[in-house]
Amino acid sequence: MPSGKISKSEAKKRIGKLRAVIDRERYLYHVLDEVGMPEAALDSLKKELADLEAIFPDLITPDSPTQRVAGRPLAKFKKVRHWVSQWSFNDVFSPAEMREFDARIRRLLSDTNPTYTCELKIDGFKIVLTYEQGLLTQAATRGDGTTGEDVTVNIRTIPSIPLKLKRPISVVAEGEIWLSKKDFAELNKKRERAGEALYANPRNLAAGTVRQLDPKLVAERPLDSFIYDLAWSAEDLPATQYDELKKLSALGFKVNQEFILCRNIDEVIAYWQKWQTKAPQLPFGVDGVVIKVNERAFQERLGYTGKAPRFAIAFKFPAEQATTVVEDISLQVGRTGVITPVAKLRPVLLAGSTVSRATLHNEDEIKRLDVRIGDTVIIQKAGDIIPDIISVIKDLRPAKSRSFTFPAQLEACGGPIERIPGQAAYRCVNRRSFVQLKRRFHHFVSKGAFDIPGLGPKIIDLLLEHHLLADFADIFTLEKGDLLKLPRLAEKSADNLLAAITKARKVSLGRFLVSLSIPNVGEETARDLARHFRTLDRLRQASKEELNDLSGVGPIVAASVFDFFREKDNLKLVDKLVGEVKITVGKRPIHTTGPLTGRTLVFTGTLPSLTRPEAKKLARERGARIASAVSATTDYLIVGESPGRKYNQAEELGVKIINEKDFRRLVG
């Protein structure tokens, strides 16, 4: 539902723009088979339109995208009228919405408790098949729901579509044509070698293939099918949806066998949660599950709305892309003084959680996207906590949208800001502002650095505000009396905190380097430096050339490390800190030979029995390097539950994908 109050006149303008964009995108995909807006983003726009029309029902018109099945057939194929009208499903995206659907069903059925059949929602191209006395006589596209296109000659080339059923029955069956992820990747590799443009995704390629005029080309592409509905039959239809799927299989259709019968809505939600995790590992695309009231008698009582059945709904997986509005742009100062622009967003559900911020990275990115305050944008979550803005829907730009420019001064910097020479980022001219100091201290005590439990941002801020800390080393000189000065800190909490500080006095070289907030040096780079130089003294004396030659360290990082250990204030800080802590070198030897030596690994999802730190530690001890993002140089992607976009990126790049069992075998 749109956030805040919106006037009827504002809603009318917004509805008009939304309809125009949705109709354009539907025309591109359904009629021209061209790649347009990502489906998850389009779903988000449809939902916003439906929400606005729910608030202002008198603004609903017969030509609204919410009132009909969109898309018109091209004139390239013979047009045919469907025996049975073709419907589309309404969508829900959360367990709460699914429970609302269940409550509505039971109200309409006078509190009768139906059961539900759950099926995977195949991300393919819908086909309508007509059989007369068991023989395939027509295959048609969905088209506008009433009229489609006759593509029989092409569908006959798909091996999984039966030309003759197992018995002479007349039926109309519906299903999805799809292309496997593996075959899609192979076709794109061939096009890449030929210097041709790559296909966008398997669904678009399947749709385009079905509508090729040359059946030979269709036969060359390994299309497949799943049939899921008996829309009409010359004999009585089964009494339940579950039995209908069984009957389709018995007639010789290929039916996806992962359907189940659920006794209540809790079982439905559990099925959805299960496949949300498992779907990325399937050879074909799945973007949710379809839920249908199982009993046909109940289906007939519930009937249809103008465009969708009341007895069924598509329970979509959490979208990793969505649309929302940029309400403001603010500047965030990091611990090294680098300034990051952050978009404040109208809250939107994305990948299972509500987000209200997105990173804009730097000034060049704002200009490249041409993003303005007030714009409707597509945002994407790719494994990070904060999503990215990937594009602006300029057709929805309001007249009062405002461009953003970096100011000359920033209060959080305590004065002027400047653009870093040769880079796209801005930074504070004054590197010692209180905001930066707080962030550096927060980082110093974090898990990747000194890892001091109990010494979180709130306590750090209090210690700084009470002038009990001036630099990192002061943490290790704190006494009980100092801590008891802080508000709401009891004696036992002070004792526990001092014990944690004492335990943290022993730290590995890698964690020590992480804690220093050296520009451009993250956890993996710090570990690479520690692994190579072994001692802090050797690293401090290293030349730029020696640093640059190290695998995983480029000229920018090399310059950052070299310059850091040449600044007087930094050396003073390090020397004082070394006087308070003991830097250790790992005792377990690094494997110099083996299947992971020199390999780059990326982890995604939750592993069954290993925590992420445990898995990374095992890999590093066997000579592997851990990266945070999938690239062409990645050797292995280790996949757990809820893997996210990294799985798809690895498939597209041909990166080897393994599970925890395979990973354990590699690490021995």
Side-chain angles (χ1 to χ4, degrees), residues 155-162 223:
I155 295 302
R156 288 175 67 91
T157 69
I158 302 174
S160 61
I161 299 288
L223 295 178

Side-chain angles (χ1 to χ4, degrees), residues 5 60 67 89 118 128-129 139 203 213 220 254 287 438 466 483-484 497 514 520 526 531 565-566 583 607 629 646:
K5 292 184 178 179
I60 298 174
Q67 302 303 300
F89 295 118
C118 297
V128 183
L129 305 172
R203 182 196 59 203
L213 291 175
E220 290 171 359
K254 183 173 182 178
D287 61 356
K438 286 199 301 183
H466 285 72
L483 297 177
L484 292 177
L497 186 51
V514 169
N520 303 305
R531 183 183 298 175
F565 287 113
R566 298 302 177 282
I583 301 174
L607 298 178
K646 289 179 184 177

Side-chain angles (χ1 to χ4, degrees), residues 76-137:
K76 296 177 182 178
F77 290 95
K78 175 186 173 184
K79 296 180 182 180
V80 293
R81 288 186 66 83
H82 294 298
W83 286 17
V84 181
S85 295
Q86 297 300 301
W87 309 94
S88 61
F89 295 118
N90 289 324
D91 298 334
V92 294
F93 295 86
S94 68
E97 290 178 303
M98 195 64 227
R99 292 186 189 281
E100 288 176 10
F101 169 79
D102 175 59
R104 184 165 63 250
I105 292 295
R106 286 188 284 109
R107 282 197 305 272
L108 291 170
L109 294 175
S110 302
D111 289 327
T112 301
N113 292 319
T115 58
Y116 294 103
T117 300
C118 297
E119 309 164 43
L120 297 183
K121 187 176 182 299
I122 310 303
D123 192 13
F125 181 73
K126 186 171 183 179
I127 199 71
V128 183
L129 305 172
T130 301
Y131 289 80
E132 295 181 24
Q133 293 300 306
L135 297 176
L136 177 64
T137 57

Side-chain angles (χ1 to χ4, degrees), residues 5 25 78 112 135 141 145 228 276 436 457 472 513 521 650:
K5 292 184 178 179
E25 293 298 317
K78 175 186 173 184
T112 301
L135 297 176
T141 64
Y228 52 73
Q276 185 180 324
Q436 293 173 72
F472 299 147
L513 295 175
V521 175

Side-chain angles (χ1 to χ4, degrees), residues 86-87 102 109 135 170 207 212 289 355 359 364 383 481 523 554 560 579 589 653:
Q86 297 300 301
W87 309 94
D102 175 59
L109 294 175
L135 297 176
S170 296
Q212 289 287 330
V289 299
V355 299
T359 181
D364 289 358
E523 290 186 28
S560 292
L653 293 169

Side-chain angles (χ1 to χ4, degrees), residues 157-159 179 183 187 191 199 205-206 208-210 212 216-224:
T157 69
I158 302 174
L179 183 72
D183 291 326
L187 286 169
R191 291 183 71 84
Y199 296 119
L205 180 53
T209 301
V210 168
Q212 289 287 330
K216 292 181 180 177
L217 190 148
V218 181
E220 290 171 359
R221 294 179 183 171
L223 295 178
D224 210 330

Side-chain angles (χ1 to χ4, degrees), residues 159-197:
S160 61
I161 299 288
L163 301 181
K164 183 179 180 180
L165 300 180
K166 291 188 176 179
R167 59 190 182 89
I169 180 177
S170 296
V171 298
V172 176
E174 299 169 5
E176 296 286 323
I177 304 300
W178 54 273
L179 183 72
S180 76
K181 298 173 184 176
K182 180 181 178 182
D183 291 326
F184 172 75
E186 288 297 324
L187 286 169
N188 260 348
K189 284 180 182 177
K190 290 178 182 177
R191 291 183 71 84
E192 187 175 23
R193 287 194 293 267
E196 298 173 332

